[in-house]
Amino acid sequence: MKPTIASTLLAGALLAAFSLTSVSHATPPTRLVVAFPPGGPADSLARILAKELETELKTTVIVENKPGANGAIAVNYVMRGATDGSMLFLSSAGAIAINPSLYPNLSYKPAEDLTPVALVVHTPEVLVVSPKNAARSAADYVAAASKRGEAATLASSGVGSMPHMTIELFKSQTKVDFLHVAYKGAAPAIADTIGGHVEAFFGDVSGLMPFIKDGQLVALGVAAPARLKSLPDVPTLAEQGIPNVEASNWYGMFAPKGTPAEVVGRLNQAVRNSLQSAALVASLASLGIEPSPSSPEAFRELVRRDTGKWASVIKAGNVRAE
């Protein structure tokens, strides 16, 4: 029987539909989960990275914000995800390396429930003050604080946050009993530092750069092993006679437990390739940070090392979750 035009068109439509379905099944969208609300540094980083990963993975990358419970909501969501590479978690060091010691009854165990894929960036902590403060170096600030009868105030973005951990290290090395003022997030802490309601603040460089650039805050020192390219004139704390205060709220990529090694390898290469993009490097530079690619093994070792480090700091400082 000779095929009619209608039957030919129908066959073509069915073939096209089948092809689209096959492609859809072959390359499902990838979900990139972030444990923070939209608009913050973590969300900005996720969206910058997602754009590049779409090219590398040849599929849509959807950023999903799952804030709350100090990262537990996001981690539990990721843990239930597929292990085919379509579920990823961009996490800060806090949820992975600090929370296990801060919350004894944590609903997840990062070392067991998540698979490290790649380190993405380091975001070192920076000590800042208002321009109205007389201190122009961390050494100045410590010297003035040590001479006062009352404790100098030093703010963080919350109990157990990376800025708080940095304060605990800072106190132990300077032997000065600063009054820790814990805020619910970096934004109010920055606002009160600018306003002079607290004297100083330790914060992630990515969140502080806009305020440092426009002169609302003065950077006194960086808690890093070397000076930052984004703040070349700001010495490290070690350069100022305050050693062993190194803290970075790094961000890294994780997949659910059980993700096969070959999938992890493919994802790692996609992240590494993405971090070489000129557009991504420029976007990160505007936040004051640089790409920090790594192998899955090196990232796993960083997680292990930092988990032990912050466990010791939490114990020594008798830090308790609110």
Side-chain angles (χ1 to χ4, degrees):
M1 180 184 296
K2 187 176 181 179
T4 64
I5 293 176
S7 64
T8 301
L9 290 175
L10 177 61
L14 289 172
L15 179 60
F18 176 77
S19 298
L20 287 173
T21 302
S22 298
V23 171
S24 175
H25 284 308
T27 56
T30 296
R31 301 184 183 280
L32 180 54
V33 179
V34 185
F36 298 91
D43 179 67
S44 298
L45 174 60
R47 294 180 190 279
I48 292 169
L49 185 59
K51 184 177 180 181
E52 299 297 331
L53 284 175
E54 286 190 331
T55 300
E56 293 297 325
L57 298 175
K58 297 179 174 56
T59 188
T60 303
V61 178
I62 303 168
V63 176
E64 288 195 16
N65 301 91
K66 298 287 184 181
N70 293 286
I73 291 175
V75 175
N76 281 284
Y77 177 71
V78 172
M79 285 165 51
R80 298 192 299 269
T83 58
D84 59 359
S86 62
M87 177 65 80
L88 297 173
F89 180 37
L90 182 66
S91 179
S92 66
I96 303 299
I98 296 176
N99 281 3
S101 297
L102 190 65
Y103 301 96
N105 299 317
L106 200 64
S107 61
Y108 63 92
K109 296 181 179 180
E112 298 177 12
D113 298 326
L114 296 171
T115 300
V117 172
L119 179 64
V120 177
V121 296
H122 273 291
T123 56
E125 299 301 299
V126 180
L127 179 65
V128 294
V129 295
S130 162
K132 298 176 184 177
N133 193 302
R136 286 299 175 266
S137 70
D140 287 346
Y141 177 62
V142 171
S146 64
K147 294 176 182 178
R148 288 169 48 179
E150 61 182 19
T153 52
L154 189 48
S156 81
S157 53
V159 173
S161 64
M162 188 60 72
H164 182 195
M165 295 295 97
T166 314
I167 289 172
E168 293 297 329
L169 281 178
F170 194 67
K171 289 167 63 176
S172 69
Q173 293 300 313
T174 60
K175 309 304 181 186
V176 175
D177 190 20
F178 294 96
L179 176 61
H180 172 222
V181 183
Y183 286 81
K184 293 187 180 298
I190 290 172
D192 272 9
T193 304
I194 292 172
H197 302 295
V198 288
E199 294 176 346
F201 170 59
F202 264 113
D204 298 0
V205 64
S206 56
L208 293 175
M209 280 304 294
F211 303 97
I212 295 172
K213 285 180 178 179
D214 68 13
Q216 292 188 75
L217 290 172
V218 177
L220 302 184
V222 295
R227 295 194 185 197
L228 308 182
K229 289 183 179 179
S230 56
L231 295 171
D233 297 327
V234 181
T236 67
L237 295 176
E239 286 181 87
Q240 301 181 60
I242 309 170
N244 304 316
V245 183
E246 294 181 8
S248 173
N249 199 19
W250 48 255
Y251 287 87
M253 193 79 74
F254 295 84
K257 174 184 177 180
T259 300
E262 61 270 20
V263 174
V264 172
R266 174 173 61 84
L267 293 171
N268 177 271
Q269 192 60 56
V271 172
R272 293 167 77 94
N273 290 347
S274 295
L275 293 178
Q276 293 178 4
S277 160
L280 182 142
V281 171
S283 295
L284 294 183
S286 68
L287 299 174
I289 52 181
E290 303 171 42
S292 303
S294 75
S295 67
E297 295 75 21
F299 184 35
R300 185 184 296 277
E301 175 57 22
L302 171 64
V303 171
R304 186 199 66 77
R305 188 170 64 247
D306 271 14
T307 300
K309 173 181 178 177
W310 299 126
S312 298
V313 171
I314 288 170
K315 183 178 180 180
N318 195 28
V319 177
R320 300 187 184 278
E322 294 179 322

